[in-house]
Amino acid sequence: MIEIAANYWENLIGVLVAFALLALTIERSLYQIFDSKFWRVIEEKLDEQAGGDYLDLKPWISVAISVTIAFRLQVDFIAVVLGRKHGDFLSMVLTGLFLAGGSTGIYKFLKRARKIKDAAATAAIK
């Protein structure tokens, strides 16, 4: 049982590092596009046609690119953490959605992972 727990935390740390690198790479790459004058013109045209600031394509583009990257690179964080085989459709989509969260996703994930680790340590002491 201890070996399984150690392997779990080892996998989780590897996933966190890979996630941080991929999410930040995607986020910073998309920033270059979304911060351009060309993109601002596109947004203005979309807002003009939609009659307000209702049509925000940035999150949808980020999700599409992140899910595509998860499938193209066969990245399946859920399978790695759980020690399962790669390639499950749903877990790869979830991995892509997770990647689309970018640095905010990293922060929230690390915060929750810390709470889980602290709870596990507290339970082990009792």
Side-chain angles (χ1 to χ4, degrees), residues 11 76 78-86:
N11 289 347
D76 190 347
I78 296 167
V80 171
V81 170
L82 298 177
R84 297 181 180 164
K85 291 184 178 182
H86 297 293

Side-chain angles (χ1 to χ4, degrees), residues 5-78:
N7 191 27
Y8 173 82
W9 288 112
E10 192 175 290
N11 289 347
L12 184 61
I13 290 169
V15 163
L16 288 174
V17 171
F19 170 72
L21 291 173
L22 273 173
L24 289 173
T25 300
I26 293 167
E27 183 178 13
R28 296 311 304 166
S29 299
L30 289 175
Y31 174 79
Q32 298 304 315
I33 295 168
F34 294 149
D35 194 46
S36 68
K37 290 179 184 178
F38 179 71
W39 183 257
R40 280 186 231 128
V41 169
I42 291 172
E43 279 189 325
E44 287 172 10
K45 296 289 184 192
L46 289 172
D47 291 345
E48 195 177 286
Q49 289 185 359
D53 194 21
Y54 302 111
L55 190 59
D56 187 10
L57 293 179
K58 290 178 189 177
W60 297 105
I61 292 170
S62 178
V63 164
I65 289 173
S66 297
V67 170
T68 300
I69 287 172
F71 278 93
R72 293 284 296 166
L73 298 179
Q74 293 293 302
V75 177
D76 190 347
F77 292 151
I78 296 167

